[in-house]
């Protein structure tokens, strides 16, 4: 009878080890859940960025306003007949 109790206790210990620390156990499950949540957050950010880029592409294809805005902002271009003024702020010393 005593050896049966020892065997069953050993079996219980092995099963508990598999449950908590083994492959597919709770610790692995928690780690995977954290990774899934991080990936979902990254996917949301990338979807937002993609929708912004899609809107930009659509604007560039459809109208000249966004092209003009980009030329002014990124390339420093001005329209014919406009006067360019550069405002330089004085540095505090």
């Amino acid at each position: 009878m005593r050896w049966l109790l020892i065997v069953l206790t050993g079996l219980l210990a092995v099963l508990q080890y598999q449950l908590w620390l083994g492959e597919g156990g709770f610790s692995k499950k928690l780690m995977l859940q954290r990774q899934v949540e991080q990936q979902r957050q990254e996917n949301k950010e990338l979807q937002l960025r993609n929708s912004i880029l899609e809107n930009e592409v659509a604007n560039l294809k459809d109208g000249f306003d966004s092209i003009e805005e980009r030329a002014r902002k990124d390339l420093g271009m001005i329209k014919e007949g406009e006067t360019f003024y550069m405002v330089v702020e004085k540095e505090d010393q």
Side-chain angles (χ1 to χ4, degrees):
M1 180 77 171
R2 186 176 185 111
W3 64 272
L4 181 60
L5 183 61
I6 293 173
V7 168
L8 289 176
T9 304
L11 183 61
L12 179 65
V14 168
L15 291 175
Q16 285 294 315
Y17 173 81
Q18 287 294 325
L19 177 66
W20 294 102
L21 304 172
E23 187 75 26
F26 282 129
S27 61
K28 182 79 169 180
K29 179 185 173 201
L30 291 175
M31 182 184 71
L32 289 174
Q33 284 177 334
R34 278 189 240 117
Q35 287 177 348
V36 166
E37 189 57 39
Q38 287 174 345
Q39 190 64 49
R40 282 187 179 143
Q41 182 63 33
E42 185 179 339
N43 288 349
K44 283 181 187 178
E45 292 169 5
L46 291 174
Q47 285 173 342
L48 177 63
R49 187 194 72 175
N50 286 347
S51 66
I52 290 170
L53 289 174
E54 285 174 2
N55 288 336
E56 257 185 70
V57 167
N59 285 339
L60 288 172
K61 285 182 179 180
D62 292 341
F64 291 105
D65 291 338
S66 58
I67 294 171
E68 181 181 335
E69 180 185 342
R70 280 204 169 245
R72 288 176 177 271
K73 183 180 174 186
D74 296 342
L75 303 174
M77 299 180 84
I78 59 172
K79 282 185 181 179
E80 193 172 315
E82 289 184 335
T83 305
F84 176 73
Y85 294 98
M86 182 182 289
V87 178
V88 181
E89 294 185 20
K90 192 175 186 179
E91 291 183 26
D92 293 333
Q93 292 180 351

